[in-house]
Amino acid sequence: REAGIADPERHLAVLRSWETVTVLASRRPLDSGTLEAVRGFARARLFDLAWLPGLEAEETNRYNRFAEAWLYRGLGGILGPDAEGFLDAYKFHVRPVSDDSPYFSRFMKVSTLPELYARRGQGGLTLVERGYPLLWATLVQALVLGLVLVLLPLRWLPRSEGTGESGAGGWRVAVYFLCIGLAFLFIEMAFIQRITLYLGHPVLAAALSLSGFLVAAGIGSHCAGRWARHRGLAAGALAGTLLGASMWLFAAEPLFGAVASAQTWQIALLVLAGVFPLGLCMGMPFAIGMRALRDECPERIPWAWGINGCASVVSAVLAVLLAMHLGFNAVVGIALALYVLAWAVRPRSPAPAD
């Protein structure tokens, strides 16, 4: 369908043995000679036909029998005119994966968990995909511990007396450092996946992404710490982050596609060249916020550092869950929205330099 084929059911043949399913896909509709050859192959080797153009229900489920022809019915739903309705109503997540959400082993739907638990005496819990609920459990654990560690210190921190836009009130501090902590890891996690597509080596992609972002962010943080009072620095960092991330989203695929035949080290250098300016801009907001707190209410610096750290822990898990449901491009979009929000509520130094 994504390739523009309006009738994919005419291009597919599916055969089933006692333990495997074989899917054959053709660029052209399967002709009568091919269909007869597939039927003959299945008969000779006792394979069950699960899908062929024009296949009747009585031709299925003959040798390796189920209670019903489940696979034939399921394929009919996926290939039929109401495929979206079928996929929405199906008890497990069986939508096709993509580079934007490459989770081949994700089958669990939250809506199915109560039914599986109710059928636990019949073996229902053995069908639970443990990784997916563990992600949610980890997220809840991180959120609860983070809230405790963030809110508890407020009992002893003095109240900020800042007023107006130059004030570093508690809510501004919390929202600002929460947003930049979440956004930084969101982009980092998304880019590890995107860089993996171009390099083909997950470990190398993770190493390049993490080292590139962290080194660049460290340099950006150092520079911003020295120039934090200059007008326009925060806006410049925001603009650079928005521009850099957007270029990766829309320009990276054709660029890396054009150099796909290059050697790995050459692609790695190109990756670092693209990551460095983005990481440089992403490293500035933390230093800008810390400099403003040092000038306005230094007693809140440890608290802000803790908020940012808690957000980083939460975002590593939350980014994966969001990518499962929305895709990594959406994760980057959410990160950019968080950077905009952080810029809008940022604590500001009282006397910026000319």
Side-chain angles (χ1 to χ4, degrees):
R1 288 190 178 116
E2 289 180 358
I5 295 176
D7 52 353
E9 67 278 1
R10 297 179 59 207
H11 296 249
L12 294 173
V14 182
L15 292 82
R16 176 175 63 85
S17 72
W18 68 275
E19 67 170 352
T20 62
V21 174
T22 301
V23 180
L24 306 175
S26 170
R27 292 183 180 273
R28 293 172 294 183
L30 300 177
D31 56 34
S32 58
T34 302
L35 296 181
E36 187 54 39
V38 172
R39 283 186 167 90
F41 178 91
R43 281 194 304 269
R45 293 161 179 81
L46 303 184
F47 281 90
D48 286 291
L49 296 173
W51 186 265
L52 279 179
L55 185 69
E56 300 293 338
E58 54 268 20
E59 296 182 73
T60 68
N61 203 30
R62 288 181 171 179
Y63 308 114
N64 308 284
R65 297 179 63 87
F66 292 145
E68 296 186 36
W70 298 114
L71 189 56
Y72 171 73
R73 290 173 52 182
L75 288 166
I78 292 174
L79 297 169
D82 189 28
E84 287 299 315
F86 175 85
L87 292 171
D88 289 338
Y90 199 72
K91 293 184 183 296
F92 293 92
H93 183 273
V94 291
R95 291 182 180 275
V97 298
S98 66
D99 289 340
D100 192 37
S101 184
Y103 295 98
F104 293 90
S105 298
R106 183 223 161 175
F107 301 103
M108 183 57 56
K109 283 185 177 180
V110 176
S111 58
T112 309
L113 287 174
E115 180 179 351
L116 291 176
Y117 182 77
R119 295 173 179 266
R120 62 190 183 279
Q122 304 173 31
L125 288 182
T126 62
L127 300 176
V128 174
E129 176 193 338
R130 290 174 175 82
Y132 184 69
L134 277 176
L135 276 174
W136 281 104
T138 304
L139 178 63
V140 171
Q141 181 187 44
L143 286 172
V144 171
L145 291 175
L147 284 172
V148 171
L149 294 173
V150 167
L151 297 178
L152 195 61
L154 290 177
R155 182 179 180 89
W156 295 280
L157 280 176
R159 292 183 177 275
S160 173
E161 299 298 331
T163 58
E165 288 194 345
S166 63
W171 73 271
R172 284 183 177 272
V173 174
V175 172
Y176 180 82
F177 285 96
L178 177 69
C179 284
I180 63 175
L182 290 172
F184 190 98
L185 261 293
F186 277 4
I187 290 180
E188 201 170 47
M189 294 289 288
F191 274 63
I192 290 175
Q193 165 57 25
R194 185 167 286 270
I195 292 170
T196 300
L197 298 177
Y198 306 138
L199 286 172
H201 300 278
V203 175
L204 179 58
L208 279 176
S209 180
L210 291 173
S211 59
F213 272 114
L214 292 178
V215 170
I219 296 173
S221 182
H222 173 73
C223 295
R226 297 185 61 183
W227 306 329
R229 292 190 176 187
H230 284 254
R231 290 192 180 102
L233 181 62
L238 173 66
T241 301
L242 295 177
L243 178 62
S246 299
M247 288 183 65
W248 268 94
L249 286 179
F250 300 108
E253 186 170 344
L255 173 62
F256 283 95
V259 298
S261 60
Q263 297 185 34
T264 300
W265 68 268
Q266 294 173 319
I267 298 177
L269 288 179
L270 185 60
V271 165
L272 288 176
V275 163
F276 190 84
L278 176 59
L280 197 73
C281 295
M282 288 168 55
M284 292 182 178
F286 185 81
I288 292 171
M290 283 294 171
R291 182 61 179 264
L293 287 183
R294 191 190 73 175
D295 295 339
E296 191 78 0
C297 50
E299 67 278 358
R300 291 189 181 270
I301 288 178
W303 185 60
W305 199 289
I307 291 173
N308 188 261
C310 289
S312 298
V313 173
V314 169
S315 61
V317 182
L318 185 56
V320 175
L321 285 169
L322 289 173
M324 282 184 171
H325 291 272
L326 304 175
F328 277 112
N329 287 344
V331 172
V332 174
I334 293 170
L336 296 181
L338 288 171
Y339 272 121
V340 172
L341 176 59
W343 178 83
V345 302
R346 68 193 185 281
R348 306 179 189 183
S349 298
D354 293 326

